[in-house]
Amino acid sequence: MPRRPPPSRRRAPRQERSQATCEAILTATARVLVKDGYEAASTNRIAQEAGVSVGSLYQYFPSKEGLVTALMEQHRARSVADFEAGLVPLAGQPLPVAMRALIRQVIAVKRENPRLNQVLHELMPRMRQWGLSDVYSQRLFRVVRAFLAPRFEDLRPQNLDMAVFILVTSVEALCHTAVTERPDYLEDEGFVEEIAALALGYLRPEPAAAPVRRAVRERTVRM
């Protein structure tokens, strides 16, 4: 059974000074996780890094788990909000143009702080053990679905929800693996082109492939 989810905060900061303190604590949490890893991190170490007392930290965050949860929420919320904003000017663009722009945007997020992205990605299974659902992934799926829905009649997949899941998961996995194994690809426009070819080939294959698919279907029907 999963543990009860740890609350991300004891109380929300209302005053500007309190908000600045919380931001400093979360920034320090990110630095400590990147430098020391989750197991070696502690509230004492994070408070020291943030330049605040442990008592001040506990005013806002109940535990190390709460700190990590709040950092994850902040990071994911900003990433999805940036992605959603980037979709707005692409709504009327041809699918190949829009797809390349979206892939560049995903890569830009990964490139901004690759080590932090890697650490938070590795902590996702632990978050699930705490019983936390990734509401930001669900929001990302909804955003991409809304983007593809007006184009659905021109796409090959018949199940839009499944197509969104396959597309988002594939692009995210490729970009994350590049962060950990081939960071040089994040600077290579050829990487964008190859992911776009993969995505577009899945969503809307070249017309020349259609007769082949028809022939396969006809043979299947006759069998």
Side-chain angles (χ1 to χ4, degrees):
M1 293 288 292
R3 289 166 44 186
R4 184 180 179 183
S8 60
R9 297 179 188 269
R10 286 190 186 277
R11 62 186 178 89
R14 299 187 181 278
Q15 297 181 349
E16 186 175 335
R17 182 177 178 182
S18 298
Q19 292 172 357
T21 299
C22 279
E23 187 65 29
I25 292 170
L26 289 177
T27 300
T29 302
R31 287 200 298 265
V32 171
L33 286 176
V34 166
K35 286 192 290 186
D36 303 334
Y38 177 80
E39 298 300 337
S42 68
T43 51
N44 283 330
R45 174 77 182 86
I46 291 168
Q48 181 183 32
E49 182 75 21
V52 301
S53 68
V54 176
S56 295
L57 183 150
Y58 282 131
Q59 285 183 20
Y60 303 104
F61 303 99
S63 60
K64 180 173 78 170
E65 291 87 352
L67 275 167
V68 172
T69 301
L71 177 64
M72 182 79 75
E73 290 172 348
Q74 181 193 68
H75 181 79
R76 297 285 284 166
R78 287 176 177 173
S79 297
V80 175
D82 289 345
F83 184 84
E84 191 170 3
L87 278 178
V88 174
L90 297 175
Q93 293 291 326
L95 185 61
V97 174
M99 187 59 63
R100 289 178 177 86
L102 293 177
I103 292 167
R104 290 188 192 99
Q105 191 170 330
V106 173
I107 290 175
V109 170
K110 301 292 185 185
R111 195 168 51 201
E112 185 177 344
N113 195 333
R115 178 57 184 151
L116 178 61
N117 274 287
Q118 181 181 350
V119 169
L120 293 180
H121 181 83
E122 290 168 355
L123 285 172
M124 284 302 299
R126 193 184 296 267
M127 306 287 282
R128 295 189 187 99
Q129 288 175 359
W130 293 340
L132 295 169
S133 61
D134 187 358
V135 297
Y136 298 105
S137 284
Q138 296 166 20
R139 179 178 163 191
L140 181 61
F141 290 146
R142 289 196 298 271
V143 168
V144 174
R145 190 188 193 284
F147 174 75
L148 289 178
R151 311 165 190 259
F152 185 52
E153 300 233 342
D154 298 325
L155 304 182
R156 181 198 60 81
Q158 298 300 300
N159 185 323
L160 183 56
D161 290 329
M162 185 185 295
V164 169
F165 174 80
I166 290 171
L167 179 66
V168 172
T169 304
S170 300
V171 172
E172 175 70 18
L174 282 167
C175 292
H176 175 73
T177 304
V179 169
T180 57
E181 297 184 16
R182 292 301 303 261
D184 55 307
Y185 284 174
L186 299 179
E187 308 291 339
D188 190 342
E189 183 65 18
F191 188 55
V192 174
E193 290 296 324
E194 293 302 316
I195 298 179
L198 187 70
L200 293 167
Y202 167 67
L203 290 174
R204 198 172 65 189
E206 290 297 322
V212 176
R213 291 199 303 276
R214 257 198 313 274
V216 171
R217 287 172 183 166
E218 288 170 2
R219 286 199 300 272
T220 304
V221 170
R222 288 197 297 268
M223 289 178 63

